[in-house]
Every structure is written in structure tokens, then in C-alpha cells.
């Protein structure tokens, strides 16, 4: 079923131009502070970790945002390297706060076995505005491409390439929210001049594997760990989650590189994207953050045992 449901910006059937994108941006007002919520917590980690500013997001009249990465202090060439990213979609709160919580409470337990590279908030403008897109109405998580249209994605790819270290693992922390269906997907349809096709929102945690390099046992290990913290999303009646076939309970798969997803930006052997559901009546914000941390630690535990 499709719907021509009205979106406040644009004309049905016509892609947005500059005027519509400007009108959309004018509606996006900050409701929280990247400096207070993210930068200050990263600054507090500087005694224990190295912090790199790998770029600046210049959002024009909305300001300039530092792009920050946290690295193990005792970086060793003989250890494998794991990448953790959060906030690629800035509105997905537990991706950002879960990454920060891992750094604050858990990361030092792992740094004698693995080099950690953690980027808690890839999209700071989106974080402040609880928005999926960047200031130019571009989805960063479809922009990890050679000629990226999103400066946030381009900066992160350039930084990781400059480090010139092989990555064993990459876990990208996301959420699926009710606003996906009642705001962001209608906005996407309006932006692209397409009809809105209603979908469903899974109730619970799930993962997205990379169909180009599937690792089912890796995904299963993460699901098993997170199930102790929050519930795993059941498949819809047609055996799908968000329209994609379930390949394992709580797991679907995308071609991450082809789609320009953050999880496809490296050649790591083990990759996954988490999806927490914060709008469930069965989950709290603390559980969502804990689920992200449980996923990170389960992923690390699995790859270190599998390779070591």
C-alpha cells in the first residue's frame, strides 16, 4: 500500500530543490547540546585515552562541530584493531551514549587485547536536532561512498584511511524508532518525490549483517548476549524485519558497501549494525545503552576468541 500523505514541505511527486531543502533545514532547531553531552564526556576521558579531532563539521550559521575519535592509549601494532561508531544518525541516542558508556566503564578492560577506536558521534548537527539527516538533508548512513555527499562520512573515511591499520571488527550502533515511520520515512519520500509506503517498526533489538561478508556465528553471539539485557525483535508475520528477510532470529542482512552504509566503510572481517528500539514499553533508556555496550563486548569477545 502506498500513501500520498501530506508532508509539510514540497509538492507530491516532485523531488526537493534548494528552496525545499532550505525550508526543511529552517524547521530543525537544536534541543540538546553536543558540547555538553558528548564533547565534555570525551574530554573527561583524555587522562585514559588518546583523543583525535579528525575534522570539523562546518554547518554554516548553525556553527562548527568538532569530529572526535577516542583511541587506546597504548596502541600496539601486534594487537588487532576494532572500530566502534555511534551517532551516524544523530537522533539515535543510545548509539552515542552507549559508545560513551562503553568508553567510561568498560573499554579499559579490553585494551590489553585489542586496539580500540571509538567514534561516539559521527553526526553532531543531527545529534543536537534529533535528526536523521545532516544540514543538507543528506542521510550520512547512505553516504559512505568514494564520492561522499556527506562531509561527516567523508571525514570519518579519510581519518580511518589515514590511520592505515587493518581492522578486524567494526560495530556501528543504531536505533530504530517510531519516528522512523511517522517522520523520517515520510520526509524521505517527500524529498525524493516518491509516494510514502507505510512499513512496520520491530519491537526489540536486532542486527544487520553484511550480505557481502556474512558472519552468522558472530551475529548470533551478539544476539545471545543482548538477549540478557533487552528483548530481541521477533519477525513480522511474513518472516521479515523492516521488510528484509530474517536470516537468523533477530538478524537481517544488507549489502553494506553497495548501499553506502557506515558498516561497509572498511574491509573488516567482522561487521554488524545494531538496532535498539527505545520506544518499546519493555525498554528504558538505560537498557538501550546497556544493550549497546553488551553488543560491543560480545562482538569483541567473539572475534578475539575466533582469531586468537
Amino acid at each position: 500500500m502506498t500513501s500520498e500523505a501530506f508532508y509539510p514541505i514540497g509538492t507530491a511527486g516532485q523531488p526537493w530543490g534548494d528552496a525545499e531543502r532550505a525550508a526543511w533545514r529552517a524547521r530543525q532547531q537544536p534541543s540538546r547540546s553536543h558540547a555538553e553531552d558528548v564533547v565534555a564526556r570525551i574530554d573527561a576521558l583524555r587522562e585514559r585515552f588518546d583523543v583525535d579531532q579528525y575534522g570539523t563539521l562546518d554547518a554554516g550559521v548553525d556553527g562548527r562541530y568538532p569530529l572526535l575519535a577516542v583511541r587506546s592509549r597504548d596502541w600496539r601494532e601486534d594487537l588487532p584493531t576494532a572500530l566502534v561508531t555511534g551517532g551516524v544518525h544523530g537522533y539515535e541516542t543510545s548509539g552515542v551514549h552507549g559508545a560513551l558508556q562503553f568508553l567510561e566503564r568498560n573499554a579499559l578492560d579490553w585494551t590489553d587485547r585489542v586496539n580500540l577506536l571509538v567514534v561516539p558521534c559521527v553526526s553532531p548537527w543531527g545529534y543536537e536536532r534529533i535528526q536523521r539527516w545532516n544540514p543538507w538533508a543528506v542521510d550520512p548512513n547512505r553516504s559512505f561512498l568514494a564520492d561522499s555527499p556527506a562531509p561527516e562520512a567523508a571525514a570519518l573515511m579519510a581519518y580511518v584511511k589515514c590511520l592505515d591499520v587493518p581492522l578486524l571488527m567494526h560495530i556501528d550502533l543504531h536505533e530504530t524508532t517510531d519516528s522512523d515511520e511517522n517522520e523520517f520515512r515520510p520526509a524521505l519520500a517527500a524529498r525524493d518525490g516518491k509516494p510514502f509506503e507505510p512499513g512496520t517498526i520491530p519491537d526489540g533489538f536486532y542486527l544487520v549483517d553484511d550480505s557481502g561478508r556474512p558472519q552468522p556465528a558472530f551475529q548470533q553471539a551478539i544476539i545471545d548476549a543482548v538477549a540478557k539485557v533487552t528483548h530481541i525483535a521477533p519477525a513480522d508475520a511474513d518472516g521479515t524485519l523492516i521488510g528484509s528477510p530474517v536470516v537468523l532470529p533477530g538478524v537481517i542482512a544488507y549489502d553494506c558497501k553497495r548501499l553506502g552504509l557506515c558498516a561497509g566503510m572498511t574491509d573488516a572481517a567482522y561487521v554488524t549494525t545494531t538496532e535498539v528500539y527505545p520506544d518499546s514499553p519493555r525498554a528504558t533508556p538505560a537498557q538501550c545503552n546497556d544493550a549497546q555496550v553488551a553488543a560491543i563486548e560480545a562482538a569483541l569477545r567473539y572475534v578475539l576468541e575466533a582469531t586468537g
Side-chain angles (χ1 to χ4, degrees):
M1 181 179 73
T2 62
S3 171
E4 294 289 347
F6 175 74
Y7 188 78
I9 296 168
T11 302
Q14 297 181 18
W16 289 359
D18 291 343
E20 289 80 13
R21 290 174 185 268
W24 171 84
R25 181 169 176 172
R27 291 165 56 91
Q28 313 307 317
Q29 299 301 315
S31 58
R32 56 189 179 184
S33 170
H34 176 255
E36 295 177 4
D37 297 353
V38 180
V39 177
R41 288 174 72 179
I42 290 176
D43 284 342
L45 295 166
R46 290 180 182 271
E47 292 186 358
R48 291 176 281 165
F49 299 93
D50 290 336
V51 177
D52 294 337
Q53 180 170 341
Y54 62 89
T56 300
L57 177 65
D58 186 350
V61 296
D62 293 332
R64 293 167 60 85
Y65 297 86
L67 301 174
L68 300 174
V70 181
R71 290 193 293 134
S72 303
R73 172 141 297 163
D74 298 319
W75 195 273
R76 289 168 43 187
E77 292 185 0
D78 62 319
L79 293 181
T81 300
L83 171 63
V84 179
T85 48
V88 174
H89 288 143
Y91 75 103
E92 295 173 2
T93 304
S94 72
V96 177
H97 291 272
L100 290 167
Q101 180 175 310
F102 169 71
L103 285 166
E104 291 165 344
R105 304 181 188 179
N106 306 79
L108 287 179
D109 295 337
W110 295 93
T111 51
D112 62 336
R113 289 172 282 173
V114 61
N115 297 320
L116 290 174
L117 176 61
V118 182
V119 184
C121 189
V122 175
S123 298
W125 184 92
Y127 175 84
E128 288 198 334
R129 287 153 181 80
I130 314 182
Q131 178 52 242
R132 182 181 182 91
W133 293 341
N134 73 7
W136 303 277
V138 171
D139 187 339
N141 204 36
R142 297 298 183 274
S143 302
F144 286 84
L145 303 163
D147 188 17
S148 177
E152 305 94 324
L156 180 57
M157 288 188 293
Y159 168 65
V160 172
K161 182 179 180 180
C162 184
L163 290 177
D164 193 28
V165 294
L167 293 176
L168 176 62
M169 185 195 95
H170 177 195
I171 182 169
D172 189 30
L173 311 179
H174 283 256
E175 294 181 343
T176 300
T177 70
D178 289 346
S179 58
D180 288 0
E181 190 67 14
N182 59 40
E183 167 60 27
F184 299 128
R185 292 187 64 248
L188 174 63
R191 186 198 69 181
D192 295 347
K194 297 179 179 179
F196 170 57
E197 299 182 359
T200 59
I201 299 296
D203 184 357
F205 179 95
Y206 64 100
L207 293 173
V208 183
D209 198 358
D210 188 339
S211 61
R213 45 187 161 165
Q215 291 284 358
F218 172 63
Q219 311 297 330
Q220 187 66 61
I222 299 171
I223 289 290
D224 290 345
V226 173
K228 299 174 183 177
V229 177
T230 191
H231 59 292
I232 306 303
D236 291 336
D238 62 356
T240 68
L241 289 169
I242 58 170
S244 295
V246 171
V247 297
L248 290 169
V251 183
I252 60 175
Y254 288 164
D255 187 341
C256 294
K257 287 186 179 292
R258 182 181 65 80
L259 292 172
L261 304 184
C262 183
M265 67 173 283
T266 78
D267 292 323
Y270 298 92
V271 300
T272 196
T273 301
T274 66
E275 295 285 355
V276 174
Y277 180 47
D279 296 317
S280 173
R282 299 167 60 191
T284 65
Q287 276 181 298
C288 291
N289 293 342
D290 290 346
Q292 302 284 21
V293 174
I296 297 168
E297 294 210 287
L300 289 170
R301 188 176 303 111
Y302 180 90
V303 299
L304 291 175
E305 290 176 357
T307 60

